[in-house]
């Protein structure tokens, strides 16, 4: 994707040149620069690596499970409200995998 140096709009390719969709500014295409661009197709084809074992990659802490009275849980933070609100901490029991939020108690 290329943006116009004159007005900042997105440009399209046509006959070996970039053409601005708004002001008509033209710029020669650079094959080396375009080869370095990441396309959406390349993003879709990228390999996704998953850790083996569900929540085992999460950090653990001391927390009393309300379901089985285990005293250790995995935890993670997630933004579930507006961006100007604080994140919510979630816990997952290391024994029974019961999931709860920090403010559930």
């Amino acid at each position: 994707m290329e943006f116009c140096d004159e007005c900042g709009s997105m440009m399209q390719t046509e006959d070996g040149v970039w053409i601005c969709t708004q002001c008509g500014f033209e710029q020669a295409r650079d094959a080396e620069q375009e080869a370095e661009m990441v396309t959406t197709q390349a993003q879709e084809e990228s390999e996704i690596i998953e850790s083996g074992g569900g929540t085992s990659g999460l950090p653990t802490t001391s927390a009393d499970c309300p379901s089985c009275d285990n005293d250790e849980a995995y935890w993670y933070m997630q933004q579930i409200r507006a961006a100007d609100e604080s994140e919510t901490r979630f816990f997952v029991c290391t024994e029974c995998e019961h999931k709860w939020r920090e403010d559930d108690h």
Side-chain angles (χ1 to χ4, degrees):
M1 184 181 307
E2 191 72 29
F3 293 95
C4 179
D5 290 337
E6 298 295 316
C7 70
S9 297
M10 190 170 20
M11 300 178 79
Q12 294 181 345
T13 59
E14 189 176 300
D15 297 327
V17 295
W18 289 100
I19 299 177
C20 178
T21 58
Q22 297 298 311
C23 71
F25 175 77
E26 293 186 14
Q27 176 179 320
R29 291 178 68 176
D30 181 351
E32 279 185 35
Q33 182 184 19
E34 289 178 26
E36 294 175 7
M37 293 181 183
V38 178
T39 64
T40 55
Q41 183 180 10
Q43 290 173 345
E44 291 170 0
E45 294 172 358
S46 65
E47 184 178 341
I48 297 173
I49 301 171
E50 294 183 18
S51 62
T55 54
S56 62
L58 297 173
T60 58
T61 188
S62 296
D64 294 323
C65 175
S67 183
C68 73
D69 294 328
N70 181 35
D71 63 352
E72 185 177 45
Y74 302 109
W75 67 273
Y76 62 96
M77 304 287 279
Q78 186 172 357
Q79 186 73 39
I80 60 172
R81 294 182 296 272
D84 62 345
E85 302 274 339
S86 62
E87 294 179 312
T88 301
R89 185 167 24 179
F90 287 90
F91 296 96
V92 181
C93 178
T94 57
E95 291 293 319
C96 71
E97 296 188 10
H98 174 73
K99 185 178 184 179
W100 72 97
R101 297 186 330 192
E102 186 169 40
D103 58 358
D104 281 351
H105 290 14

